[in-house]
Amino acid sequence: MAEHTTRVVDKVTGTETTGHEWDGIRELNTPLPRWWLWTFYMTIIWSIGYWIVYPTWPLVSSYTSGLLGWQSRQAIIDDLAALKTQRASMVDRIAETPLQEILSDQTLIDFARAQGRTAFADNCAPCHGAGGGGAKGYPNLNDDDWLWGGKLDDIAFTIRHGVRSNDADTRMGSMPAFGRDKILSRPDILAVTDYVRSLSSLAVPANANLAVGKKVFADNCAACHGDAGKGNREIGAPDLTDQIWLYGSDRNTIIEGLMNGRGAVMPAWGQRLDDTTIKSLTVYVHTLGGGQK
Amino acid sequence: MDADLLERHANPDAASRGASVAPSNIPEDETPLYAARRKIYPQSVKGTFRRIKWAVLLVTLAIYYFLPFIRWNRGPNAPDQAVLIDFSGRRFYFFFIEIWPQEVYFFTGLLIIAAMTLFLMNAVAGRVWCGYLCPQTVWTDLFLAIERLVEGDRRAQMAADAGPWTAQRVLRKGLKHLLWLMVAWWTGGAWVLYFADAPTLVKDLATGHAPFLAYAWIGILTATTYALAGHMREQVCTYMCPWPRIQAALTDEYALNVTYRYDRGEPRSSVKKSEQLRLAGLPAGDCVDCRQCVNVCPTGIDIRNGAQLECIQCGLCIDACDSVMDKIGRPPRLIGYDSDVNLKRRIAGEPPVQKIIRTRTVMYALIIAAVGGIMLYALLTRHAFDVSVIHDRNPVFVRLADGAIRNGYTMRILNKQLETRRFALTVDGVPGNVVEIVGLPLGAARIVEVGPDQSREFRVLVNSYEYAPAASSPIVFHLTDVESGTWAQARDHFRAPERPK
């Protein structure tokens, strides 16, 4: 490395070198442009301002909060409040309009469906599926079969109070465990299984004793499911004569239900969601396709 | 002092280009790879092409600055601005045409036509785009005119720049930059007027009520106009613009280019000397080496060196040369629009040819006509309304209590007319179907209403009481405008479980 004593000018570029040399390679003296340096200095000064104005330094158990008192949490709260204000007029209209009238106003339907779709995705989709298609034991909300009634008020009540939930007004009713609790014998269970399948025209084994099944049904099941097996929406007893089976229609599934009983739970959403959201959810679920007029 | 000396005085760098720079020990052939910018002082000029340039400048800038203020009556529910890009309403208005977002293919067509027109212009008359129509050229020209107005012509400017910073020079420079910034600001201001109702926005801008975005865009475009037209000028053409590089591939020997007719100009010498030579019966060119063509050139080149990347083909050198030829009593157009083929033909003693109809030009014209025709057809035959359908994905189908299969669809109807329309829905393709539109009473006539210039979504449920022939069968949604009888269709599929064997 040469001593930087004399000014050396590079031949090719005409630029002065720094005087440093490594293996014959010299470094041109091309300092950063002045404007660039000043921009850099300004950013340093700017950052000091930032330290003072915004929360910056972590302390032992807290942090410097800054002159503005700005908080990211508060910023989100403000944003959400602004969003609410923006939507207030429509939300108010949903709140003060009876459910039946929402369904006859296209603007309100559109808003309620949009709000309902979001609320559904957040709260209902884990059990009922993203499009309300349901799953084994979780009702499909697109079909026309309703355990607890498919009118707007029925749906709203179910959402608000839940099914077998902790709510005082919850929908109540459950299928007893006929087998496990030794109410019915094994042959009786097999007989009533075949009888129930025959109600919705499903194939039954040639040796099925439908007469015994019918008797067992009348004695044990008709109280809830009705004499003709048409179900009872007061207590959520399914219609056994239609094509829709919540848990499945094969023999083993029905036998399993008779052995151990059924009784899935839906939370009472009235405890968690506000009234307009529940109304929007009701309209959304109703318009999925299965809602009754 | 002559102009050359002045220039050398003002620009020591320029004068010494090609020679050694600071240290004297650089050999002649080791010139620096980087050349500093040589400031160009284009001299004002009068003549045919200058007049054409003024006319083009006036027309193009007048269109740009005043177009947003032209009104166009579209009825009560639509904006009355002739040309409007309405982002919030998601519409583009161009006089009688209204473009919806899904019709952006019209812009694709427009871009193809623009590119092909550029190619065609290039094949016929070289880079006329660069010389007359390019925004960089137009605004630079305007900025140069302002500069001359305030600081004087070439010589006055060079003399002032070579001299000290007098109060007058400061004043003039200050005034020039102020005027430049005002034009730049107006340029940015006119831009934002295309995106909102112009008179309202002007009022809002003046009273400080306009959206922040409007001010931001005015700021950005003021800065870019000021920088590009005021300071960067010919460097944009030489270093930034890809067109000079591309156009070399598009031109041919028949394309007109601003050309120095060296067959007529060489050998060049002074007026007196060439007259003596001519009297003596010796060859003498018309070029008197007055350098006027160089002085007026906005990119600072010497056209006598032949076609070059920097040349924007503006023809100002033609005007400059013609005025000199007029003074010395020689015929004009020593420099003129000429083609390579004619240059060669003249030297060979053949008559010049003007061949505009060539494979190249015919192809470009045909493409323009084809794309234009397709666009016009699409524009004239497009539906006044449109329908699209999306099938429910989850669940794909549902079995109803009575065993029917139901499919759910989201149907969107676009009503492009400016009045409320009623549409009747029929569904074909699925045997024994029942169609229900959510929100309408079951069993009612399936007629839906869509407001003016709106799109509206409907949920449609289709139940089939017969087994579909396959797991998926085509289904057609047919919508008829109740009043006019025009119709539109959307196709989708009806999904069902496999028919049991």
Side-chain angles (χ1 to χ4, degrees), chain B residues 120-186:
Chain B
L120 181 62
M121 278 161 76
N122 201 89
V124 172
R127 282 161 63 186
V128 281
W129 166 262
C130 297
Y132 300 89
L133 285 160
C134 173
Q136 176 64 18
T137 285
V138 171
W139 264 283
T140 301
D141 223 19
L142 182 66
F143 274 48
L144 280 171
I146 292 169
E147 190 171 61
R148 281 191 205 111
L149 193 74
V150 179
E151 292 190 64
D153 207 354
R154 175 181 162 87
R155 280 160 186 271
Q157 282 181 37
M158 291 200 312
D161 282 2
W165 277 97
T166 61
Q168 197 196 32
R169 188 179 162 198
V170 172
L171 202 70
R172 283 186 166 174
K173 292 263 182 209
L175 180 64
K176 175 184 81 176
H177 287 285
L178 186 72
L179 288 172
W180 277 1
L181 279 169
M182 279 166 67
V183 173
W185 164 79
W186 193 22

Side-chain angles (χ1 to χ4, degrees), chain A residues 152-166:
Chain A
L152 282 165
D153 290 336
D154 296 335
I155 297 172
F157 190 92
T158 309
I159 296 173
R160 202 166 273 132
H161 301 291
V163 178
R164 293 174 275 271
S165 72
N166 59 354

Side-chain angles (χ1 to χ4, degrees), chain B residues 204-217:
Chain B
D204 286 351
L205 284 168
T207 53
H209 287 93
F212 170 75
L213 212 57
Y215 292 106
W217 273 106

Side-chain angles (χ1 to χ4, degrees), chain A residues 50-107:
Chain A
Y50 238 85
W51 289 348
I52 299 164
V53 173
Y54 284 105
T56 316
W57 294 99
L59 304 175
V60 177
S61 60
S62 67
Y63 57 91
T64 58
S65 60
L67 290 179
L68 292 182
W70 184 90
Q71 281 188 319
S72 57
R73 174 164 284 273
Q74 189 58 43
I76 289 173
I77 291 169
D78 292 347
D79 282 354
L80 287 176
L83 201 66
K84 268 196 174 140
T85 320
Q86 199 186 342
R87 292 178 180 166
S89 66
M90 282 307 284
V91 169
D92 289 350
R93 278 184 68 191
I94 295 282
E96 67 202 20
T97 313
L99 281 167
Q100 202 62 50
E101 285 172 36
I102 293 177
L103 214 56
S104 56
D105 180 327
Q106 189 67 37
T107 326

